[in-house]
Amino acid sequence: MVSPHASTESEAHLEAEEVLDAEEAQRKRRIWTLVGIVASTLLLFTGLGWYWTLQCYSPETYDVTEIALKETGLTDPKKLPVGARTTAVLIHNMDYLLHKSGGYLSNDVTPPSIFLDNMPNWEFGVVVASRDLATALRNHLSRAQSQSQEDKDLAIGEPYYYFETDSWILPASENQYQKGIDAFRRYLARLREGKAPFYPRADNLTQYVMILEKRLGSYTQRLSASSSVHQETALIVRGKPSTAFKPMERTPWLLVDDNFYEARGYAWALLHVMEAIENDFHNILQMKAAETPVHQIIRELEATQAPILSPVVLNGSGFGIFANYSLTLATYIAHANAALIDLRDLLSI
């Protein structure tokens, strides 16, 4: 016969085991809840990051005439003043950066933006292209001669586009870029009223083309340096290394995608700029028989925006198994640059 004391101990032991089992089950539920929260957060960040960088992989283009009509408030393309498309593109490219999916990401300090680098580099390429056009518009396209007074709104807007790209606060980059956009919109409003200067001349366009030549030439070199074919070698002259030739250093592996997406962003912005120039400078291009190189530039820049099928920038060797995205992009940009040189030659005739 079991004693009452032994029965009490057995019941107490069972109760203790039940309490331990309950605490263990509760601890496991907490762990799995925490794991679920972390996994859901990571999945959310991954989805947002992919959605926000979609423009890098499959860029969307726009119609420059429609944007010009929207910015000017006109409905008839024939009533657009000369220079309206070029100015509207300058406004829209930067405005797009501020209002696209996820907004402007280059200066973000919170997840998932801080883990993204492709989109910030793409954004930087668009900013650089906008800076080049803003400078050309202020110093060349809006001035009748070298001694002409610069336009007041262009003088205000251009410096804002040169503000640093990664300022988070005090002031934020977006706020400065918005001030530049507002200034260029005031210029466009006066251009519509016939009170702002824009001179679609061959010499003015030539100045801008010369800026583009150097910029695209630099991108071609940086992209080409991703290949193992371009090893660091020295040019020997009379038995001694020559200082006149700087050997090309291969791009570090971690910077290959940075250069790629920056150049791709610049090409996206320049594509629309050239489409606007094709319209605004139509008469001078026709008179100089320079329409063909402009068409070639646009065609080559369109090719740079083909959708990317790989989640990473492939960096294969010249004739290896894998593709080299950087060399492919460099080829299209080099072809566009060659057409720019032809365009400059025709404009100078």
Side-chain angles (χ1 to χ4, degrees):
M1 183 174 181
V2 180
S3 67
H5 180 70
S7 177
T8 303
E9 288 183 351
S10 176
E11 291 177 357
H13 180 69
L14 290 175
E15 290 178 358
E17 288 184 349
E18 290 177 355
V19 170
L20 291 176
D21 290 342
E23 291 178 350
E24 180 68 16
Q26 186 177 13
R27 187 172 64 86
K28 289 182 178 180
R29 283 196 298 270
R30 289 175 180 174
I31 293 175
W32 281 110
T33 300
L34 181 60
V35 170
I37 293 173
V38 172
S40 299
T41 302
L42 291 176
L43 183 62
L44 176 62
F45 284 170
T46 301
L48 279 177
W50 175 83
Y51 181 67
W52 289 352
T53 58
L54 192 60
Q55 176 72 357
C56 293
Y57 309 121
S58 183
E60 294 182 359
T61 57
Y62 59 88
D63 186 276
V64 297
T65 299
E66 290 183 2
I67 291 299
L69 292 173
K70 179 181 177 181
E71 289 289 341
T72 58
L74 299 173
T75 57
D76 187 358
K78 296 180 180 179
K79 294 183 179 180
L80 285 172
V82 176
R85 290 178 176 86
T86 301
T87 309
V89 166
L90 177 61
I91 294 170
H92 182 75
N93 284 349
M94 289 295 286
D95 187 69
Y96 177 80
L97 294 185
L98 305 185
H99 299 99
K100 60 180 173 57
S101 300
Y104 184 73
L105 303 181
S106 295
N107 63 343
D108 284 4
V109 293
T110 57
S113 304
I114 57 175
F115 302 118
L116 306 177
D117 66 339
N118 294 342
M119 177 53 77
N121 283 290
W122 187 89
E123 290 175 341
F124 184 71
V126 177
V127 171
V128 172
S130 300
R131 290 171 176 174
D132 289 344
L133 181 56
T135 299
L137 183 59
R138 176 186 180 182
N139 296 333
H140 306 297
L141 305 181
S142 64
R143 304 181 71 174
Q145 53 187 3
S146 60
Q147 302 301 316
S148 300
Q149 184 177 0
E150 63 183 3
D151 183 86
K152 58 180 181 179
D153 286 320
L154 297 182
I156 293 173
E158 186 218 11
Y160 283 119
Y161 273 23
Y162 279 86
F163 188 77
E164 56 188 292
T165 59
D166 58 353
S167 178
W168 172 56
I169 196 171
L170 298 178
S173 299
E174 297 99 319
N175 296 337
Q176 301 303 295
Y177 294 151
Q178 187 60 57
K179 291 179 181 178
I181 291 171
D182 294 340
F184 289 122
R185 278 184 171 144
R186 291 194 298 270
Y187 167 80
L188 181 58
R190 291 190 295 109
L191 189 66
R192 176 189 172 181
E193 297 171 358
K195 298 179 181 179
F198 188 91
Y199 301 97
R201 298 201 315 260
D203 59 329
N204 289 348
L205 182 56
T206 299
Q207 296 291 331
Y208 179 51
V209 169
M210 293 173 67
I211 296 174
L212 297 180
E213 287 178 21
K214 293 180 176 63
R215 187 73 67 186
L216 295 189
S218 175
Y219 279 128
T220 300
Q221 286 291 92
R222 289 168 58 186
L223 291 168
S224 298
S226 68
S227 173
S228 60
V229 174
H230 298 280
Q231 299 292 343
E232 184 173 349
T233 56
L235 180 65
I236 306 299
V237 178
R238 296 178 182 177
K240 298 180 180 180
S242 174
T243 58
F245 174 78
K246 185 178 181 180
M248 181 185 296
E249 298 181 6
R250 187 177 183 184
T251 303
W253 180 74
L254 292 177
L255 297 181
V256 169
D257 61 333
D258 294 349
N259 291 337
F260 178 84
Y261 283 108
E262 180 186 335
R264 191 168 162 91
Y266 190 97
W268 177 85
L270 183 58
L271 167 62
H272 299 98
V273 173
M274 294 306 302
E275 289 177 344
I277 286 176
E278 182 184 21
N279 286 276
D280 287 335
F281 288 81
H282 174 74
N283 293 337
I284 192 66
L285 292 175
Q286 191 175 45
M287 184 177 66
K288 295 285 187 176
E291 295 174 300
T292 299
V294 172
H295 294 161
Q296 182 182 351
I297 295 169
I298 293 174
R299 184 170 62 250
E300 298 296 340
L301 292 176
E302 286 176 340
T304 66
Q305 303 304 303
I308 298 176
L309 301 180
S310 171
V312 297
V313 176
L314 297 181
N315 191 41
S317 58
F319 296 101
I321 298 176
F322 297 103
N324 189 305
Y325 284 4
S326 297
L327 289 182
T328 302
L329 184 61
T331 300
Y332 292 130
I333 291 179
H335 290 169
N337 201 15
L340 280 171
I341 295 174
D342 293 339
L343 174 60
R344 173 169 54 83
D345 291 340
L346 290 172
L347 293 173
S348 63
I349 297 176

